[in-house]
């Protein structure tokens, strides 16, 4: 399957949104699922969570942080680009149980994959509170979308430049203390944030779902790269997740496994930088 970038929006300095024309994918998609994207023949396959999908228009929305070589190349791709491949939807759909009240917590880029769940829980009749946290105002995105889709939106920034000053865990702790966090919590964001949310809700036994982003290679259960320890059992996040019971995830094991490709990522960045310098030198030689 492939897809064409219909619309590209720069959300922050290093984060962008793509609307991709992919009719079959949009029709098959569910909240919580992801796709494997390859920009061109020479690039890596990158796992990206579906941040939205519109069955009527046949489009899916992806929100991407330019973290390294491949995602920076994606950020430079113009509207109209046809992706070399787009595989999905992959992974298990989010569980959307019938609850009266739910608190959905997103941190940084994790805010985007939370959005389909805001819509799904609301459609299932729950009162939805979204708590979204960013480092500062410059990193805030999709505030308007969350305000429109949920019942209540609480924005927090670490430096207080937008919304409340503090962290999403401060808000979650407050909601636990005043018994307003509901019967379920979903937390998506950096590992440390999801771990802290799970610890807070463990104390009051509120079921808490987290979405894990271990290194994925094939995304189809073949390579074993995405192994995570959940409830003492090895699970493959790409086919059995990426969402799991946050009270059962072994976050310490995950934190140890995550950086194992750092050397290769550094090498890729160094090659990218030297290619950029050579191209710049060629350009200045030609113009001079
Ligand atoms: C299920 C899942 C869903 C994801 N959803 C999104 C999303 O919606 N938006 C988004 O911006 N990012 C998402 N990511 C992370 C994204 O895939 C990585 O940021 C991307 O692969 C980085 O590639 P790079 O070459 O630009 O950077 P690199 O320099 O290769 O890596 C930068 C960092 O990205 C992570 N990473 C690199 N390769 C992979 C990989 N194959 N699998 C997982 N993590 C990797 C590593 O933690 C690494 O430290 C998701 C990852 C997973 C596993
Ligand atoms: S990414 Fe290969 S088994 Fe999950």
């Amino acid at each position: 399957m492939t897809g064409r970038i219909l619309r590209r929006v720069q959300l922050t300095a290093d984060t962008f949104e793509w609307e991709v024309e992919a009719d079959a994918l949009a029709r098959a998609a569910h909240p919580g699922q992801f796709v494997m994207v390859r920009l061109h023949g020479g690039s890596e396959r990158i796992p990206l969570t579906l941040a939205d999908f519109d069955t009527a228009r046949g489009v899916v929305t992806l929100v991407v942080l330019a973290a390294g070589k491949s995602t920076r190349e994606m950020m430079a791709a113009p509207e109209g680009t046809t992706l070399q491949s787009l595989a999905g939807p992959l992974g298990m759909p989010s569980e959307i149980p019938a609850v009266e009240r739910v608190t959905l917590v997103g941190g940084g880029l994790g805010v985007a994959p939370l959005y389909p769940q805001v819509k799904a829980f609301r459609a299932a009749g729950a009162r939805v509170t979204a708590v979204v946290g960013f480092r500062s105002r410059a990193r805030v995105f999709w505030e308007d979308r969350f305000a429109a889709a949920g019942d209540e939106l609480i924005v927090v920034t670490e430096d207080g430049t937008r919304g409340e000053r503090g962290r999403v865990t401060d808000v979650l702790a407050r909601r636990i203390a005043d018994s307003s966090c509901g019967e379920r919590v979903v937390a998506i964001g950096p590992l440390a944030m999801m771990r802290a949310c799970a610890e807070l809700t463990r104390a009051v036994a509120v079921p808490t779902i987290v979405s894990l982003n271990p290194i994925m290679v094939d995304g189809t259960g073949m390579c074993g790269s995405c192994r995570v320890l959940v409830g003492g059992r090895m699970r493959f996040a790409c086919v059995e997740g990426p969402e799991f019971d946050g009270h059962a995830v072994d976050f310490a094991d995950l934190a140890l496994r995550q950086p194992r490709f750092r050397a290769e990522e550094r090498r890729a960045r160094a090659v990218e930088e030297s290619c950029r310098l050579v191209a710049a030198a060629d350009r200045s030689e030609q113009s001079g």
Side-chain angles (χ1 to χ4, degrees):
M1 193 190 309
T2 183
R4 195 166 60 92
I5 304 168
L6 288 183
R7 204 165 75 95
R8 181 201 175 287
V9 182
Q10 193 72 37
L11 297 175
T12 71
D14 57 7
T15 308
F16 60 97
E17 170 189 335
W18 276 352
E19 245 182 36
V20 180
E21 185 179 45
D23 190 42
L25 177 59
R27 274 188 279 116
H30 294 282
Q33 293 186 298
F34 66 98
V35 289
M36 294 294 281
V37 179
R38 175 181 265 171
L39 180 60
H40 57 74
S43 55
E44 287 179 299
R45 295 169 81 237
I46 298 284
L48 298 169
T49 311
L50 293 167
D52 201 8
F53 41 89
D54 184 332
T55 320
R57 292 174 54 226
V59 297
V60 299
T61 303
L62 304 171
V63 172
V64 189
L65 170 75
K69 182 176 183 294
S70 309
T71 44
R72 271 205 294 272
E73 279 180 1
M74 287 176 168
M75 189 157 85
E79 286 178 356
T81 301
T82 296
L83 304 172
Q84 212 257 347
S85 75
L86 178 65
L90 301 169
M92 298 296 289
S94 311
E95 269 180 42
I96 309 292
V99 290
E100 274 182 26
R101 196 168 189 154
V102 63
T103 299
L104 306 180
V105 187
L109 192 72
V111 165
L114 207 56
Y115 180 68
Q117 298 206 36
V118 172
K119 296 204 292 188
F121 271 109
R122 192 117 186 270
R127 178 174 167 76
V128 179
T129 299
V131 183
V132 297
F134 302 90
R135 251 183 265 158
S136 69
R137 181 191 188 100
R139 294 184 172 259
V140 177
F141 65 88
W142 280 19
E143 204 180 331
D144 50 344
R145 284 197 185 219
F146 276 82
D151 295 288
E152 185 185 14
L153 172 64
I154 301 169
V155 180
V156 293
T157 49
E158 286 182 23
D159 61 3
T161 47
R162 181 81 194 165
E164 290 183 28
R165 178 194 291 270
R167 295 188 161 175
V168 287
T169 40
D170 301 332
V171 180
L172 183 60
R174 192 171 74 216
R175 295 183 74 81
I176 288 171
D178 69 11
S179 306
S180 64
C181 87
E183 305 109 280
R184 195 173 182 93
V185 168
V186 179
I188 309 184
L191 265 192
M193 180 215 105
M194 294 191 286
R195 186 179 196 171
C197 289
E199 287 314 316
L200 285 171
T201 56
R202 189 196 304 279
V204 285
V206 173
T208 297
I209 301 299
V210 296
S211 177
L212 304 183
N213 279 191
I215 297 290
M216 288 189 181
V217 177
D218 63 310
T220 57
M222 313 272 279
C223 69
S225 171
C226 64
R227 292 193 301 277
V228 290
L229 256 182
V230 183
R233 279 179 52 213
M234 209 44 101
R235 313 282 294 269
F236 283 8
C238 67
V239 285
E240 299 177 83
E243 295 185 359
F244 291 101
D245 171 1
H247 296 158
V249 169
D250 187 333
F251 284 101
D253 176 71
L254 200 53
L256 283 177
R257 297 172 63 83
Q258 200 60 2
R260 70 193 193 283
F261 289 115
R262 279 267 150 87
E264 287 82 352
E265 286 154 6
R266 263 200 307 273
R267 262 201 304 278
R269 276 195 291 276
V271 170
E272 186 191 23
E273 180 60 10
S274 53
C275 291
R276 196 184 61 75
L277 292 174
V278 168
D282 282 353
R283 273 197 305 275
S284 79
E285 214 168 83
Q286 278 159 16
S287 64

